[in-house]
Amino acid sequence: MIWPLQILGPPLNFLTMDSPMLYQELCILLIKMERKQGHFLSMKIELLLENSRMVMLVKNRWLSRFFPHYSYSPVRGLYLYGGVGTGKTMLMDLFFDQLPINWRKKRIHFHDFMLNVHSRLHKHNGVEDPLEEVAREISNESILLCLDEFMVTNIGDAYILNRLYKHLFSNGVILVATSNRAPDNLYKGGLNRDIFQPFISTLKERCVVHEIGSSVDYRKMTSALQGLYFVGKDLSGLLFQKFEELIDKHAPTMQQIEVVMGRKLQVPFGANGCAYFRFEDLCDRPRSAADYFGLFKSFHTLVLDGVPIFALHNRPAAYRFVLLVDVMYERKARLVCTAEGIPNDLFERIVTIIDAKQMAFGIGSRLSMNDDLELCVDNQLAFEKERTISRLTEMNSREYLDQHAVLISERKQL
Protein backbone atom coordinates (compact mmCIF):
# COMPACT_ATOMS: atom_id res chain seq x y z
CA MET A 1 0.00 0.00 0.00
CA ILE A 2 1.26 3.50 -0.82
CA TRP A 3 0.68 5.94 2.01
CA PRO A 4 -0.21 9.57 1.18
CA LEU A 5 2.93 10.93 2.84
CA GLN A 6 5.05 8.75 0.53
CA ILE A 7 3.33 10.38 -2.45
CA LEU A 8 4.50 13.74 -1.14
CA GLY A 9 8.14 12.67 -1.22
CA PRO A 10 10.73 10.26 0.25
CA PRO A 11 9.57 7.78 2.92
CA LEU A 12 9.30 9.54 6.27
CA ASN A 13 10.91 6.95 8.51
CA PHE A 14 11.09 9.26 11.54
CA LEU A 15 7.29 9.44 11.55
CA THR A 16 6.70 5.71 11.22
CA MET A 17 9.30 4.79 13.83
CA ASP A 18 8.97 7.50 16.48
CA SER A 19 5.37 8.68 16.14
CA PRO A 20 3.26 5.87 14.62
CA MET A 21 -0.01 7.31 15.95
CA LEU A 22 0.72 10.76 14.55
CA TYR A 23 1.83 9.26 11.22
CA GLN A 24 -1.43 7.30 10.96
CA GLU A 25 -3.47 10.40 11.78
CA LEU A 26 -1.62 12.50 9.19
CA CYS A 27 -2.28 9.83 6.58
CA ILE A 28 -5.97 9.75 7.47
CA LEU A 29 -6.07 13.55 7.29
CA LEU A 30 -4.48 13.58 3.83
CA ILE A 31 -6.91 10.91 2.61
CA LYS A 32 -9.82 13.03 3.88
CA MET A 33 -8.34 16.12 2.28
CA GLU A 34 -8.06 14.21 -1.02
CA ARG A 35 -11.81 14.71 -1.29
CA LYS A 36 -11.54 18.48 -0.76
CA GLN A 37 -10.70 21.12 -3.34
CA GLY A 38 -7.42 22.79 -2.40
CA HIS A 39 -5.89 19.87 -0.42
CA PHE A 40 -2.12 19.48 -0.23
CA LEU A 41 -1.67 16.84 -2.95
CA SER A 42 -3.72 18.61 -5.60
CA MET A 43 -2.28 21.95 -4.47
CA LYS A 44 1.16 20.62 -5.32
CA ILE A 45 0.00 19.75 -8.86
CA GLU A 46 -1.94 23.01 -9.26
CA LEU A 47 0.99 25.05 -8.02
CA LEU A 48 3.27 23.28 -10.49
CA LEU A 49 0.94 24.11 -13.38
CA GLU A 50 0.44 27.69 -12.20
CA ASN A 51 4.19 28.19 -11.75
CA SER A 52 4.82 26.88 -15.29
CA ARG A 53 2.04 29.09 -16.72
CA MET A 54 3.44 32.21 -15.05
CA VAL A 55 6.99 31.46 -16.19
CA MET A 56 5.76 30.98 -19.78
CA LEU A 57 3.73 34.20 -19.74
CA VAL A 58 6.65 36.20 -18.40
CA LYS A 59 9.02 34.78 -21.04
CA ASN A 60 6.62 35.20 -23.95
CA ARG A 61 4.42 38.31 -23.81
CA TRP A 62 2.91 37.51 -27.23
CA LEU A 63 1.59 34.13 -26.05
CA SER A 64 0.22 35.72 -22.89
CA ARG A 65 -2.61 37.32 -24.91
CA PHE A 66 -4.19 33.91 -25.49
CA PHE A 67 -4.27 32.88 -21.82
CA PRO A 68 -6.76 34.03 -19.21
CA HIS A 69 -5.63 36.66 -16.73
CA TYR A 70 -6.79 36.24 -13.16
CA SER A 71 -7.41 38.90 -10.56
CA TYR A 72 -6.72 36.12 -8.03
CA SER A 73 -4.57 33.00 -8.30
CA PRO A 74 -6.68 30.08 -9.59
CA VAL A 75 -5.10 27.96 -6.82
CA ARG A 76 -6.90 28.16 -3.50
CA GLY A 77 -4.78 28.10 -0.37
CA LEU A 78 -5.32 26.17 2.84
CA TYR A 79 -6.08 27.22 6.41
CA LEU A 80 -5.41 24.45 8.95
CA TYR A 81 -6.69 24.94 12.48
CA GLY A 82 -7.09 22.81 15.58
CA GLY A 83 -5.88 22.14 19.10
CA VAL A 84 -2.31 22.39 20.31
CA GLY A 85 0.21 19.68 19.41
CA THR A 86 -1.96 18.02 16.74
CA GLY A 87 0.52 18.19 13.84
CA LYS A 88 -0.59 21.34 11.96
CA THR A 89 2.91 22.80 11.59
CA MET A 90 4.38 19.42 10.69
CA LEU A 91 1.87 19.02 7.87
CA MET A 92 2.58 22.48 6.49
CA ASP A 93 6.34 21.94 6.68
CA LEU A 94 6.07 18.57 4.90
CA PHE A 95 4.18 20.26 2.08
CA PHE A 96 6.55 23.23 1.92
CA ASP A 97 9.69 21.05 1.85
CA GLN A 98 8.38 18.97 -1.06
CA LEU A 99 8.11 21.97 -3.39
CA PRO A 100 11.13 22.77 -5.61
CA ILE A 101 13.73 24.86 -3.81
CA ASN A 102 13.93 27.41 -6.66
CA TRP A 103 10.26 28.37 -6.39
CA ARG A 104 9.14 31.71 -5.04
CA LYS A 105 7.99 30.35 -1.69
CA LYS A 106 8.36 31.51 1.90
CA ARG A 107 7.68 29.81 5.23
CA ILE A 108 7.63 32.13 8.26
CA HIS A 109 6.11 32.43 11.72
CA PHE A 110 3.21 34.89 11.85
CA HIS A 111 4.90 37.13 14.46
CA ASP A 112 8.04 37.34 12.31
CA PHE A 113 5.91 38.06 9.23
CA MET A 114 4.17 40.99 10.92
CA LEU A 115 7.49 42.41 12.13
CA ASN A 116 8.68 42.27 8.54
CA VAL A 117 5.52 44.03 7.35
CA HIS A 118 5.93 46.83 9.93
CA SER A 119 9.58 47.26 8.94
CA ARG A 120 8.59 47.59 5.26
CA LEU A 121 5.84 50.07 6.13
CA HIS A 122 8.41 52.18 7.96
CA LYS A 123 10.61 52.13 4.85
CA HIS A 124 7.71 53.29 2.65
CA ASN A 125 6.54 56.02 5.02
CA GLY A 126 5.18 58.92 2.98
CA VAL A 127 4.05 56.82 0.01
CA GLU A 128 0.39 57.28 -0.99
CA ASP A 129 -0.51 53.62 -0.26
CA PRO A 130 2.40 51.99 1.60
CA LEU A 131 0.48 48.71 2.06
CA GLU A 132 0.17 48.34 -1.69
CA GLU A 133 3.95 48.77 -2.01
CA VAL A 134 4.57 46.24 0.76
CA ALA A 135 2.21 43.75 -0.89
CA ARG A 136 3.96 44.23 -4.21
CA GLU A 137 7.36 43.52 -2.63
CA ILE A 138 6.11 40.42 -0.82
CA SER A 139 4.36 38.99 -3.91
CA ASN A 140 7.47 39.64 -6.04
CA GLU A 141 9.49 37.60 -3.55
CA SER A 142 6.97 34.80 -2.88
CA ILE A 143 3.93 33.53 -4.74
CA LEU A 144 3.36 30.91 -1.99
CA LEU A 145 3.27 32.20 1.58
CA CYS A 146 3.19 29.68 4.46
CA LEU A 147 2.38 31.30 7.82
CA ASP A 148 2.65 29.35 11.06
CA GLU A 149 0.56 30.24 14.15
CA PHE A 150 -1.77 32.74 12.47
CA MET A 151 -3.26 34.96 15.17
CA VAL A 152 -4.58 38.49 15.53
CA THR A 153 -4.47 40.15 18.94
CA ASN A 154 -4.46 43.92 18.34
CA ILE A 155 -6.39 46.44 16.29
CA GLY A 156 -3.28 47.61 14.41
CA ASP A 157 -2.62 44.17 12.93
CA ALA A 158 -6.35 43.67 12.29
CA TYR A 159 -6.47 46.86 10.21
CA ILE A 160 -3.25 46.05 8.34
CA LEU A 161 -4.19 42.44 7.51
CA ASN A 162 -7.54 43.40 6.03
CA ARG A 163 -5.96 45.73 3.46
CA LEU A 164 -2.65 43.91 3.01
CA TYR A 165 -4.24 40.62 1.98
CA LYS A 166 -6.62 42.33 -0.39
CA HIS A 167 -3.51 43.44 -2.30
CA LEU A 168 -1.65 40.13 -1.83
CA PHE A 169 -4.52 38.01 -3.13
CA SER A 170 -5.00 40.42 -6.04
CA ASN A 171 -1.33 39.90 -6.86
CA GLY A 172 -1.87 36.14 -7.03
CA VAL A 173 -0.33 35.16 -3.68
CA ILE A 174 -1.43 31.76 -2.32
CA LEU A 175 -1.73 31.46 1.45
CA VAL A 176 -1.19 28.32 3.53
CA ALA A 177 -1.61 28.95 7.26
CA THR A 178 -1.86 27.12 10.56
CA SER A 179 -3.73 28.40 13.59
CA ASN A 180 -5.29 27.35 16.88
CA ARG A 181 -8.42 29.33 15.97
CA ALA A 182 -11.04 28.88 13.28
CA PRO A 183 -11.28 31.86 10.89
CA ASP A 184 -14.54 33.05 12.46
CA ASN A 185 -12.83 33.17 15.88
CA LEU A 186 -9.84 35.27 14.80
CA TYR A 187 -9.66 38.55 16.73
CA LYS A 188 -12.81 37.50 18.56
CA GLY A 189 -13.91 40.16 21.02
CA GLY A 190 -11.31 42.58 19.64
CA LEU A 191 -11.77 46.33 19.48
CA ASN A 192 -13.63 47.47 16.32
CA ARG A 193 -13.75 43.90 15.05
CA ASP A 194 -16.11 44.96 12.25
CA ILE A 195 -13.11 46.36 10.31
CA PHE A 196 -11.62 42.84 10.37
CA GLN A 197 -14.75 40.98 9.23
CA PRO A 198 -14.10 41.49 5.47
CA PHE A 199 -10.71 39.77 5.88
CA ILE A 200 -12.37 36.70 7.41
CA SER A 201 -14.75 36.47 4.44
CA THR A 202 -11.86 36.85 1.99
CA LEU A 203 -9.79 34.26 3.87
CA LYS A 204 -12.59 31.69 3.64
CA GLU A 205 -13.07 32.48 -0.03
CA ARG A 206 -9.38 32.18 -0.95
CA CYS A 207 -8.50 29.19 1.30
CA VAL A 208 -9.94 25.79 1.99
CA VAL A 209 -10.56 25.73 5.75
CA HIS A 210 -9.79 22.38 7.40
CA GLU A 211 -10.01 21.49 11.08
CA ILE A 212 -7.68 18.90 12.57
CA GLY A 213 -10.08 17.43 15.06
CA SER A 214 -7.63 15.34 17.09
CA SER A 215 -7.84 15.72 20.86
CA VAL A 216 -4.36 14.24 21.34
CA ASP A 217 -1.45 16.57 22.14
CA TYR A 218 1.47 14.67 20.63
CA ARG A 219 4.02 16.99 22.22
CA LYS A 220 3.10 15.51 25.60
CA MET A 221 3.87 12.00 24.32
CA THR A 222 7.59 12.78 24.01
CA SER A 223 10.26 11.35 26.30
CA ALA A 224 10.92 13.61 29.28
CA LEU A 225 14.52 14.56 29.95
CA GLN A 226 15.49 15.83 33.39
CA GLY A 227 18.08 18.51 34.05
CA LEU A 228 16.95 21.59 32.09
CA TYR A 229 13.79 22.66 33.93
CA PHE A 230 14.36 23.20 37.67
CA VAL A 231 11.35 23.66 39.97
CA GLY A 232 11.76 25.53 43.24
CA LYS A 233 13.00 28.73 44.81
CA ASP A 234 16.55 29.89 45.58
CA LEU A 235 18.03 27.91 42.67
CA SER A 236 19.86 30.81 41.02
CA GLY A 237 23.27 29.46 42.00
CA LEU A 238 22.51 26.05 40.55
CA LEU A 239 21.22 27.62 37.33
CA PHE A 240 24.29 29.81 36.85
CA GLN A 241 26.45 26.74 37.39
CA LYS A 242 24.50 25.04 34.60
CA PHE A 243 25.09 28.12 32.41
CA GLU A 244 28.85 27.88 33.04
CA GLU A 245 28.79 24.22 32.01
CA LEU A 246 27.03 25.12 28.75
CA ILE A 247 29.46 27.89 27.78
CA ASP A 248 32.42 25.62 28.63
CA LYS A 249 35.65 27.63 28.68
CA HIS A 250 34.17 30.74 27.07
CA ALA A 251 34.03 33.86 29.25
CA PRO A 252 30.52 35.35 29.65
CA THR A 253 30.23 39.04 28.88
CA MET A 254 27.52 41.68 28.73
CA GLN A 255 26.44 42.03 25.09
CA GLN A 256 24.20 44.24 22.99
CA ILE A 257 22.36 42.86 19.99
CA GLU A 258 20.50 44.77 17.32
CA VAL A 259 16.79 44.05 17.33
CA VAL A 260 14.99 46.10 14.69
CA MET A 261 15.35 49.55 13.11
CA GLY A 262 18.46 50.36 15.17
CA ARG A 263 16.96 49.32 18.53
CA LYS A 264 19.22 47.19 20.75
CA LEU A 265 18.67 44.58 23.47
CA GLN A 266 21.15 44.22 26.32
CA VAL A 267 22.11 40.65 27.26
CA PRO A 268 23.43 40.48 30.88
CA PHE A 269 25.64 37.44 30.21
CA GLY A 270 26.32 35.81 26.87
CA ALA A 271 28.87 33.32 25.50
CA ASN A 272 29.10 30.34 23.15
CA GLY A 273 25.56 30.82 21.82
CA CYS A 274 24.03 30.92 25.33
CA ALA A 275 22.29 33.94 26.89
CA TYR A 276 21.56 34.33 30.61
CA PHE A 277 18.63 36.46 31.84
CA ARG A 278 16.61 36.95 34.96
CA PHE A 279 12.90 36.56 34.20
CA GLU A 280 12.07 40.14 35.18
CA ASP A 281 14.69 41.51 32.77
CA LEU A 282 13.34 39.59 29.79
CA CYS A 283 9.59 39.39 30.42
CA ASP A 284 8.69 41.93 33.11
CA ARG A 285 9.79 44.94 31.06
CA PRO A 286 8.36 46.35 27.81
CA ARG A 287 9.43 43.74 25.27
CA SER A 288 8.03 42.72 21.89
CA ALA A 289 8.36 39.90 19.40
CA ALA A 290 11.15 41.90 17.75
CA ASP A 291 13.27 41.63 20.92
CA TYR A 292 12.82 37.88 21.09
CA PHE A 293 13.43 37.22 17.40
CA GLY A 294 16.53 39.40 17.59
CA LEU A 295 17.76 37.49 20.64
CA PHE A 296 17.50 34.10 18.95
CA LYS A 297 19.20 35.25 15.79
CA SER A 298 22.30 35.62 17.98
CA PHE A 299 21.77 32.86 20.58
CA HIS A 300 20.53 29.28 20.40
CA THR A 301 20.11 28.70 24.16
CA LEU A 302 18.34 30.76 26.83
CA VAL A 303 19.12 30.30 30.53
CA LEU A 304 16.21 31.97 32.34
CA ASP A 305 16.11 32.44 36.10
CA GLY A 306 12.91 32.74 38.11
CA VAL A 307 9.81 32.01 36.02
CA PRO A 308 6.94 32.81 38.42
CA ILE A 309 3.44 31.53 38.96
CA PHE A 310 1.26 33.76 36.79
CA ALA A 311 -1.79 35.60 38.13
CA LEU A 312 -3.50 38.98 37.85
CA HIS A 313 -0.56 41.04 39.17
CA ASN A 314 1.86 39.80 36.48
CA ARG A 315 -0.51 39.26 33.55
CA PRO A 316 1.59 41.41 31.11
CA ALA A 317 4.64 39.28 31.96
CA ALA A 318 2.59 36.15 31.30
CA TYR A 319 1.70 37.41 27.81
CA ARG A 320 5.39 38.13 27.12
CA PHE A 321 6.41 34.70 28.37
CA VAL A 322 3.87 33.09 26.02
CA LEU A 323 5.36 35.12 23.16
CA LEU A 324 8.91 34.20 24.22
CA VAL A 325 8.10 30.49 24.18
CA ASP A 326 6.44 30.82 20.75
CA VAL A 327 9.59 32.43 19.31
CA MET A 328 11.89 29.89 20.97
CA TYR A 329 9.83 27.01 19.63
CA GLU A 330 9.85 28.49 16.13
CA ARG A 331 13.66 28.88 16.27
CA LYS A 332 14.11 25.43 17.87
CA ALA A 333 16.01 27.16 20.70
CA ARG A 334 16.91 25.41 23.96
CA LEU A 335 15.49 26.56 27.30
CA VAL A 336 17.20 26.03 30.65
CA CYS A 337 15.28 27.61 33.50
CA THR A 338 14.22 27.74 37.11
CA ALA A 339 10.51 28.09 37.80
CA GLU A 340 8.10 28.17 40.72
CA GLY A 341 6.16 25.24 39.30
CA ILE A 342 5.80 22.78 36.47
CA PRO A 343 4.28 24.23 33.25
CA ASN A 344 0.70 23.38 34.26
CA ASP A 345 1.11 25.02 37.67
CA LEU A 346 2.57 28.21 36.21
CA PHE A 347 -0.73 28.99 34.47
CA GLU A 348 -3.25 27.42 36.84
CA ARG A 349 -4.52 30.79 38.06
CA ILE A 350 -5.16 32.02 34.49
CA VAL A 351 -8.80 31.14 33.79
CA THR A 352 -11.60 31.92 31.36
CA ILE A 353 -14.86 33.59 32.35
CA ILE A 354 -16.59 30.19 32.12
CA ASP A 355 -13.88 28.63 34.35
CA ALA A 356 -14.38 31.39 36.92
CA LYS A 357 -18.14 30.83 36.98
CA GLN A 358 -17.67 27.09 37.45
CA MET A 359 -15.16 27.67 40.23
CA ALA A 360 -17.68 29.88 42.01
CA PHE A 361 -19.84 26.75 42.32
CA GLY A 362 -16.90 24.42 42.98
CA ILE A 363 -17.16 22.71 39.57
CA GLY A 364 -14.38 21.40 37.34
CA SER A 365 -11.24 22.68 39.08
CA ARG A 366 -9.10 21.83 42.09
CA LEU A 367 -9.14 25.58 42.77
CA SER A 368 -12.18 27.40 44.06
CA MET A 369 -13.19 31.01 44.57
CA ASN A 370 -12.82 30.46 48.33
CA ASP A 371 -9.11 29.72 47.99
CA ASP A 372 -6.78 32.56 48.92
CA LEU A 373 -5.59 32.99 45.35
CA GLU A 374 -5.17 35.89 42.98
CA LEU A 375 -6.99 34.66 39.88
CA CYS A 376 -6.63 36.26 36.46
CA VAL A 377 -9.79 36.00 34.36
CA ASP A 378 -8.59 36.46 30.77
CA ASN A 379 -10.12 34.45 27.91
CA GLN A 380 -7.30 35.20 25.45
CA LEU A 381 -4.45 34.29 27.82
CA ALA A 382 -6.32 31.23 29.06
CA PHE A 383 -6.65 30.08 25.44
CA GLU A 384 -2.97 30.69 24.62
CA LYS A 385 -1.63 29.09 27.82
CA GLU A 386 -2.51 25.61 26.50
CA ARG A 387 -0.11 26.09 23.59
CA THR A 388 2.63 27.33 25.94
CA ILE A 389 2.23 24.42 28.36
CA SER A 390 2.35 21.99 25.44
CA ARG A 391 5.48 23.58 23.99
CA LEU A 392 7.30 23.83 27.31
CA THR A 393 6.68 20.11 27.78
CA GLU A 394 8.09 19.25 24.36
CA MET A 395 11.04 21.62 24.71
CA ASN A 396 12.24 19.56 27.67
CA SER A 397 11.98 16.29 25.72
CA ARG A 398 14.78 14.17 24.35
CA GLU A 399 13.36 14.38 20.82
CA TYR A 400 13.27 18.19 20.81
CA LEU A 401 16.77 18.53 22.27
CA ASP A 402 18.13 16.07 19.70
CA GLN A 403 16.61 18.27 16.98
CA HIS A 404 18.20 21.31 18.59
CA ALA A 405 21.62 19.62 18.63
CA VAL A 406 21.34 18.74 14.92
CA LEU A 407 20.45 22.35 14.02
CA ILE A 408 23.39 23.73 16.01
CA SER A 409 25.73 21.26 14.30
CA GLU A 410 24.44 22.27 10.86
CA ARG A 411 24.85 25.99 11.61
CA LYS A 412 28.46 25.47 12.71
CA GLN A 413 29.21 23.81 9.37
CA LEU A 414 27.92 26.79 7.37
Side-chain angles (χ1 to χ4, degrees):
M1 177 179 180
I2 299 176
W3 286 97
L5 292 181
Q6 290 174 308
I7 297 173
L8 279 174
L12 301 165
N13 294 327
F14 73 95
L15 280 175
T16 57
M17 291 167 54
D18 297 337
S19 311
M21 290 178 63
L22 178 55
Y23 178 77
Q24 182 180 15
E25 186 155 321
L26 294 180
C27 290
I28 292 171
L29 171 62
L30 286 171
I31 291 169
K32 287 179 179 178
M33 290 170 67
E34 185 70 34
R35 305 189 187 106
K36 287 177 172 281
Q37 181 185 3
H39 56 77
F40 278 126
L41 301 183
S42 68
M43 270 184 68
K44 186 174 179 182
I45 297 169
E46 290 174 353
L47 280 167
L48 178 61
L49 294 173
E50 174 65 2
N51 191 66
S52 300
R53 184 185 76 86
M54 292 182 68
V55 168
M56 181 192 67
L57 298 187
V58 168
K59 287 184 176 180
N60 195 320
R61 298 293 181 185
W62 184 82
L63 275 177
S64 67
R65 305 180 215 172
F66 302 99
F67 287 83
H69 291 265
Y70 303 99
S71 57
Y72 291 136
S73 166
V75 184
R76 292 180 72 193
L78 183 66
Y79 184 95
L80 278 177
Y81 75 96
V84 298
T86 53
K88 301 180 296 296
T89 299
M90 181 181 287
L91 266 176
M92 184 178 73
D93 287 345
L94 286 171
F95 167 68
F96 184 85
D97 291 341
Q98 294 306 314
L99 296 174
I101 195 168
N102 60 335
W103 279 22
R104 288 189 296 141
K105 60 176 184 172
K106 188 177 187 67
R107 189 270 192 213
I108 189 171
H109 190 276
F110 180 76
H111 286 312
D112 208 1
F113 173 73
M114 291 308 300
L115 285 172
N116 182 266
V117 169
H118 285 288
S119 179
R120 291 175 191 259
L121 285 172
H122 181 76
K123 183 178 71 174
H124 292 297
N125 187 30
V127 176
E128 183 178 353
D129 189 349
L131 277 173
E132 185 175 9
E133 286 297 311
V134 171
R136 182 183 57 79
E137 290 181 353
I138 293 173
S139 54
N140 283 342
E141 295 166 5
S142 311
I143 201 67
L144 173 68
L145 190 59
C146 293
L147 296 182
D148 192 30
E149 295 292 348
F150 200 105
M151 64 181 79
V152 186
T153 57
N154 62 77
I155 189 171
D157 285 351
Y159 179 73
I160 287 173
L161 285 170
N162 185 28
R163 296 182 55 224
L164 176 65
Y165 272 92
K166 179 180 179 181
H167 292 307
L168 286 176
F169 288 138
S170 294
N171 292 346
V173 169
I174 301 153
L175 174 67
V176 175
T178 69
S179 180
N180 293 134
R181 292 189 181 273
D184 288 327
N185 291 332
L186 288 171
Y187 196 49
K188 190 173 183 179
L191 183 66
N192 292 339
R193 190 172 185 259
D194 55 311
I195 68 170
F196 187 69
Q197 286 293 149
F199 170 75
I200 295 175
S201 301
T202 303
L203 181 67
K204 292 193 289 186
E205 177 188 343
R206 294 307 314 147
C207 294
V208 172
V209 177
H210 185 90
E211 178 183 11
I212 298 183
S214 173
S215 59
V216 179
D217 183 348
Y218 292 98
R219 295 187 188 124
K220 294 182 179 178
M221 297 173 66
T222 52
S223 306
L225 188 65
Q226 300 300 319
L228 297 182
Y229 189 105
F230 303 95
V231 178
K233 297 183 178 181
D234 302 320
L235 296 175
S236 298
L238 175 64
L239 187 69
F240 200 82
Q241 182 182 340
K242 190 72 178 178
F243 173 66
E244 290 177 324
E245 291 174 9
L246 291 172
I247 64 176
D248 198 17
K249 297 178 181 179
H250 299 264
T253 59
M254 181 183 295
Q255 300 183 24
Q256 277 195 339
I257 57 171
E258 187 165 344
V259 176
V260 66
M261 291 184 281
R263 194 155 58 84
K264 296 184 183 296
L265 174 68
Q266 185 169 291
V267 180
F269 297 100
N272 197 28
C274 302
Y276 183 97
F277 278 89
R278 295 184 308 162
F279 177 85
E280 52 263 37
D281 291 332
L282 195 57
C283 296
D284 211 11
R285 295 182 180 181
R287 304 290 187 202
S288 69
D291 295 297
Y292 300 144
F293 275 109
L295 179 63
F296 293 106
K297 284 178 181 176
S298 301
F299 297 93
H300 57 69
T301 296
L302 172 64
V303 181
L304 187 62
D305 186 22
V307 182
I309 299 290
F310 297 111
L312 183 61
H313 74 280
N314 58 2
R315 176 168 60 176
Y319 268 107
R320 293 188 196 104
F321 184 66
V322 167
L323 179 58
L324 173 67
V325 172
D326 282 345
V327 173
M328 291 191 70
Y329 189 84
E330 168 68 14
R331 297 293 190 192
K332 287 294 178 284
R334 177 172 53 180
L335 175 66
V336 184
C337 71
T338 61
E340 291 185 357
I342 62 173
N344 275 305
D345 292 345
L346 294 180
F347 290 94
E348 189 174 27
R349 300 178 189 180
I350 308 295
V351 298
T352 64
I353 294 174
I354 293 176
D355 292 334
K357 289 179 179 179
Q358 291 178 338
M359 289 166 62
F361 295 98
I363 303 171
S365 174
R366 63 192 178 108
L367 301 178
S368 74
M369 298 297 280
N370 296 323
D371 292 332
D372 186 19
L373 294 174
E374 182 193 2
L375 293 178
C376 174
V377 181
D378 186 321
N379 282 346
Q380 178 67 24
L381 187 56
F383 179 85
E384 293 187 2
K385 76 174 185 179
E386 298 301 331
R387 182 178 70 252
T388 304
I389 292 168
S390 172
R391 287 181 166 178
L392 284 173
T393 303
E394 184 185 355
M395 288 166 70
N396 197 41
S397 71
R398 184 170 286 104
E399 292 86 347
Y400 180 91
L401 294 170
D402 285 346
Q403 264 190 316
H404 169 83
V406 170
L407 284 174
I408 298 308
S409 176
E410 289 175 349
R411 288 173 189 171
K412 287 180 178 179
Q413 293 173 9
L414 294 176

